[in-house]
Amino acid sequence: MDIKFNKNEDFNKLKSSELKKRLSQVKLGGGKNRIEKHHAKGKMTARERIEYLLDDSSEAIEIGAFAGEGMYGEHGGCPSGGVVVMIGHIKGKQCMVVANDATVKAGAWFPITGKKNLRAQEIAIENRLPIIYLVDSAGVYLPMQDEIFPDKEHFGRIFRNNAIMSSMGITQIAAVMGSCVAGGAYLPIMSDEALIVDKTGSIFLAGSYLVKAAIGESIDNETLGGATTHSEISGVTDYKAKNDKDALDKIRTIVDKIGDFEKAGYNRIESRKPAENPDDIYGILPVSRADQYDMLEIIKRLVDNSEFEQYKEGYGKTILTGYARIDGWAVGIVANQRKVVKTKKGEMQFGGVIYSDSADKATRFIANCNQKKIPLVFLQDVTGFMVGSKSEHGGIIKDGAKMVNAVSNSVVPKFTVVIGNSYGAGNYAMCGKAYDPRLIVAWPSAELAVMSGNSAAKVLLQIEKASLEKKGQPLDDAAEKELYNKIKDRYDHQISPYYAAARLWTDAIIDPLETRRWISMGIEAANHAPIEKKFNMGVLQV
């Protein structure tokens, strides 16, 4: 291996190490002291509950682990958005599990908590996945009620989705393992089956203090809405559990009896590991996001037996398209080529830029995958579409629109991996979050923004300079450099994959070596939902 490979490898392994450290911190939820207090009540934590419930939690994938990171410092923070969401197997059946983390503000709902719960339900709806709610929440976080309560994508949407999923025949099971109050009380009761844990679980629209204040009745919370009340008097819950483990055992028993599902029928054969060493990805991926590399070498380390059958290999070379298998599943791959390429006419094209010919190729390939019922995998490292008079006169806007149209109307499941740059309209064309990928993940090397930090800083600096000059306050060289660095530092913070993950613009930040597992789990989930629409690109200017 050469020195450049070794430098890349060291840099990217450090990035992966940082990811693992940050994940370890996130998994502590509200901190060790609060975990100990939780255990003292005889309760398991949200993560312990999920680990016990799943067949093998090490094979599960976690949605939104970094949700809320750095967003609510003035309120004491909200690790993982105060809720843990995982896709894994229970008695061999793939399920979505949503567990409130009561070590974080007693499981109260912040704005990002609502967004994360809605994302979990969206995934369950798209993929017809059974969903398990492990409820332990004090309800809406009142200091931020105006950002979580009344709007379309706020708290109430959860219960609307409960009703929609029920009508679709998607199994929903809820276990009340702690507090379940006010509007939140509707969630378990709108599920198909509800369990409650004796002595620790409680359900009521208003607690004892509010009841006393509202109607003058004196009553304790256990009598008002405890397990015995709801299992033997009100009939609100279906099962009464002795403790957390008993409740989780009952859930496993219920899931074990669920019948088989109608399958979409995506092609799968026996899985084969890549022939090329996946660890090489660390050395291939460059330190700088501006540097070139061969995306084909990345693909060879992600796909079964390193076999990638290219579609239109000699045409539109700044996008790679082709067929492969990932963990046995047939996939169509659309990837940005990051090295400078030469066209048949001898012209040079920049890597990571989408040209008219590459957009045309990608559009055709996406249509082919829809016709053949092959899931699509987008590997993003894109700086945008080519600009300039030659591109504009050649119809780059029209060709780009065709690609965006194909991505938008695609009916096969789409999965997006942000490997490097994800800038501007390139993010859209390569199936960014706005284009409904079933799952979208980022590597630690990812950057998501309208443009790079360097480019944005230059643009914003010119605007700021012009404004100051109009006020008669021109900048000297030192002041200009200081302002540039200040702008760039702020922008670089915002293009970090952690900034995006905190806001759920991506579902996760993953180590590159986890990519195959995520895509495989995603296609397995998508196989629960047969395609109901035909691929139709509508009206296009050709």
Side-chain angles (χ1 to χ4, degrees):
M1 299 295 179
D2 59 23
I3 293 175
K4 185 176 181 181
F5 183 97
N6 291 336
K7 286 182 177 179
N8 291 343
E9 185 176 44
D10 290 345
F11 178 82
N12 288 308
K13 284 188 173 180
L14 281 172
K15 286 272 191 183
S16 291
S17 178
E18 179 195 2
L19 170 62
K20 290 180 176 67
K21 286 179 182 176
R22 293 176 76 151
L23 278 172
S24 296
Q25 186 61 40
V26 158
K27 289 178 180 179
L28 291 175
K32 292 181 180 179
N33 288 340
R34 289 183 183 173
I35 290 173
E36 288 173 6
K37 289 178 181 178
H38 200 73
H39 286 161
K41 298 175 184 177
K43 298 164 70 174
M44 303 165 75
T45 65
R47 292 183 181 278
E48 289 167 345
R49 288 166 176 167
I50 293 175
E51 184 177 1
Y52 185 88
L53 181 62
L54 297 178
D55 297 341
D56 184 355
S57 60
S58 67
E59 290 300 312
I61 58 175
E62 181 173 355
I63 306 297
F66 289 106
E69 186 180 73
M71 291 177 65
Y72 305 110
E74 69 276 22
H75 296 280
C78 187
S80 282
V83 62
V84 183
V85 174
M86 290 193 186
I87 301 173
H89 294 90
I90 301 172
K91 289 289 186 176
K93 294 180 174 64
Q94 195 178 40
C95 298
M96 170 73 73
V97 184
V98 180
N100 299 115
D101 186 350
T103 71
V104 180
K105 292 287 192 298
W109 287 56
F110 282 69
I112 198 67
T113 317
K115 186 174 182 179
K116 185 171 174 179
N117 274 268
L118 289 171
R119 176 59 178 151
Q121 289 185 321
E122 179 184 39
I123 293 171
I125 290 169
E126 285 178 332
N127 299 291
R128 308 290 196 275
L129 283 183
I131 185 165
I132 317 298
Y133 305 101
L134 306 181
V135 185
D136 195 346
S137 170
V140 167
Y141 183 63
L142 291 178
M144 303 187 75
Q145 65 85 26
D146 61 322
E147 297 181 48
I148 183 62
F149 171 65
D151 210 347
K152 180 179 178 180
E153 299 299 330
H154 283 177
F155 191 65
R157 189 78 172 182
I158 304 292
F159 315 128
R160 176 263 187 193
N161 287 348
N162 288 144
I164 295 297
M165 283 190 279
S166 183
S167 72
M168 294 172 67
I170 299 171
T171 299
Q172 298 176 86
I173 302 168
V176 180
M177 310 180 83
S179 297
C180 183
V181 300
Y186 287 105
L187 185 146
I189 313 312
M190 293 190 74
S191 298
D192 303 317
E193 295 185 84
L195 304 84
I196 187 167
V197 178
D198 195 21
K199 299 297 185 285
T200 56
S202 59
I203 310 171
F204 35 66
L205 294 179
S208 56
Y209 293 129
L210 185 54
V211 167
K212 177 68 174 176
I215 64 173
E217 181 184 2
S218 296
I219 189 170
D220 64 272
N221 282 338
E222 183 64 26
T223 306
L224 180 64
T228 299
T229 295
H230 286 310
S231 297
E232 300 177 18
I233 300 173
S234 73
V236 164
T237 54
D238 306 306
Y239 307 92
K240 179 180 175 181
K242 294 177 291 186
N243 51 41
D244 280 8
K245 287 187 177 181
D246 186 37
L248 298 169
D249 286 336
K250 289 181 187 297
I251 292 173
R252 286 178 59 81
T253 300
I254 294 168
V255 172
D256 189 39
K257 311 264 186 323
I258 296 174
D260 202 1
F261 57 91
E262 184 182 355
K263 296 172 178 63
Y266 301 118
N267 185 290
R268 191 182 197 186
I269 61 174
E270 185 179 350
S271 176
R272 299 176 70 181
K273 293 181 179 179
E276 301 286 347
N277 186 0
D279 287 347
D280 291 346
I281 290 172
Y282 298 122
I284 295 168
L285 202 62
V287 171
S288 170
R289 294 274 38 86
D291 287 352
Q292 304 285 302
Y293 65 94
D294 190 351
M295 179 64 83
L296 185 59
E297 295 303 316
I298 298 287
I299 293 172
K300 287 178 181 178
R301 287 154 179 84
L302 293 177
V303 301
D304 289 15
N305 207 37
S306 299
E307 293 175 349
F308 181 56
E309 183 183 347
Q310 286 203 57
Y311 169 84
K312 289 185 177 290
E313 182 177 354
Y315 176 70
K317 292 182 179 181
T318 64
I319 285 184
L320 299 172
T321 54
Y323 304 103
R325 290 188 182 274
I326 293 177
D327 196 26
W329 295 103
V331 296
I333 294 176
V334 181
N336 301 111
Q337 176 57 288
R338 277 310 312 267
K339 67 177 185 179
V340 174
V341 297
K342 186 182 289 188
T343 68
K344 198 169 184 180
K345 297 177 181 178
E347 299 170 332
M348 304 304 291
Q349 293 185 341
F350 298 104
V353 179
I354 301 176
Y355 290 77
S356 286
D357 54 357
S358 48
D360 175 65
K361 177 171 83 169
T363 301
R364 291 168 179 263
F365 180 70
I366 290 166
N368 282 348
C369 287
N370 274 270
Q371 186 181 49
K372 297 174 183 176
K373 205 161 71 171
I374 299 174
L376 284 159
V377 175
F378 293 83
L379 303 179
Q380 283 196 11
D381 195 343
V382 58
T383 54
F385 285 87
M386 191 58 190
V387 296
S389 60
K390 185 174 181 181
S391 292
E392 298 292 0
H393 296 170
I396 185 65
I397 294 175
K398 184 169 63 177
D399 290 317
K402 290 178 191 174
M403 184 175 173
V404 170
N405 192 309
V407 172
S408 302
N409 286 298
S410 179
V411 296
V412 295
K414 305 178 295 251
F415 303 90
T416 302
V417 182
V418 185
I419 289 176
N421 303 322
S422 181
Y423 298 155
N427 169 281
Y428 302 156
M430 291 295 293
C431 197
K433 182 70 180 288
Y435 292 81
D436 296 326
R438 297 293 177 97
L439 293 171
I440 176 169
V441 298
W443 288 0
S445 49
E447 293 184 355
L448 291 84
V450 173
M451 61 182 73
S452 71
N454 184 52
S455 298
K458 288 178 179 177
V459 172
L460 293 170
L461 176 65
Q462 294 306 313
I463 294 170
E464 187 67 20
K465 278 179 63 180
S467 175
L468 290 170
E469 285 171 0
K470 282 183 180 179
K471 297 175 183 177
Q473 302 170 5
L475 295 174
D476 59 28
D477 289 346
E480 183 175 324
K481 185 176 180 181
E482 182 182 353
L483 180 58
Y484 169 82
N485 289 332
K486 183 179 178 181
I487 294 170
K488 187 175 184 301
D489 287 346
R490 185 178 72 242
Y491 202 87
D492 284 345
H493 170 68
Q494 293 179 355
I495 67 177
S496 159
Y498 294 96
Y499 189 91
R503 288 151 183 80
L504 289 173
W505 300 343
T506 62
D507 292 316
I509 303 172
I510 65 170
D511 186 289
L513 302 188
E514 296 177 338
T515 306
R516 282 170 54 84
R517 178 162 61 92
W518 271 79
I519 292 172
S520 179
M521 283 285 280
I523 300 176
E524 181 186 347
N527 205 35
H528 287 71
I531 297 172
E532 297 175 347
K533 295 191 300 182
K534 289 185 178 181
F535 177 66
N536 185 342
M537 288 179 61
V539 178
L540 281 175
Q541 296 187 39
V542 294

